Amino acid sequence: MAVSVEMTGGRAVGEAMCPHRLIMEHVTSRWGVLVLIQLLDRPYRFSELRRAIGQVRQVSEKMLAQTLQTLERDGLVHRDAKPVIPPRVDYSLTELGREAAEQVRGLALWATDRMGEVLEAREAYDTAKERAGTGGAL
């Protein structure tokens, strides 16, 4: 997740300055969106979640782990580590996470439903820019 690493007093500078911007960044990040939407269905073990997300886009173990830790820290994901051998860890949404996931899923569905219109708008824009002789430069 692209989060500021500059620290002051134990907190990231960006977090101290604008915490709601950071939560939006976490929830709407490439992997945050996919994790939240996937966890709406049911709890997942780490490897199950990685495979499920991999059907849409491949994610490295490192990025998935970082995303889950960030969402857990934000109170959106619950990590349930069971003391068994081999270790078993399940991830699920908290109530706050379910709320966020519903919103993100709504936006994702809207984007899917409106993709045709977006593509038409892009084509019209590009055509108008080409006719104006700017080649797309603003």
Side-chain angles (χ1 to χ4, degrees):
M1 309 217 136
V3 179
S4 173
V5 293
E6 186 179 344
M7 303 294 281
T8 57
R11 290 179 43 180
V13 171
E15 185 175 344
M17 293 171 47
C18 190
H20 50 283
R21 179 182 59 83
L22 282 177
I23 188 66
M24 287 294 296
E25 191 175 302
H26 299 165
V27 169
T28 61
S29 71
R30 168 186 284 176
W31 306 118
V33 167
L34 295 175
V35 165
L36 290 171
I37 290 173
Q38 196 63 48
L39 288 175
L40 270 170
D41 293 337
R42 64 178 178 86
Y44 279 86
R45 293 178 72 177
F46 184 88
S47 57
E48 286 181 306
L49 185 57
R50 186 167 181 232
R51 278 192 301 275
I53 290 172
Q55 293 175 2
V56 177
R57 178 173 284 154
Q58 290 299 315
V59 59
S60 70
E61 285 187 26
K62 178 182 176 184
M63 281 309 303
L64 181 56
Q66 286 177 349
T67 300
L68 287 165
Q69 286 174 348
T70 299
L71 295 173
E72 182 183 7
R73 181 172 182 251
D74 289 340
L76 305 177
V77 168
H78 174 71
R79 181 181 186 272
D80 183 20
K82 296 183 176 27
V84 295
I85 297 177
R88 179 184 173 109
V89 179
D90 292 312
Y91 294 91
S92 60
L93 292 175
T94 63
E95 283 303 312
L96 189 61
R98 184 161 294 285
E99 251 182 78
E102 292 287 353
Q103 297 298 318
V104 169
R105 182 171 60 182
L107 182 58
L109 291 172
W110 174 86
T112 300
D113 291 346
R114 298 297 189 198
M115 196 63 216
E117 294 169 67
V118 170
L119 293 174
E120 288 174 15
R122 287 178 182 173
E123 187 174 323
Y125 178 89
D126 293 345
T127 300
K129 287 296 178 185
E130 286 176 17
R131 285 189 187 142
T134 62
L138 297 178

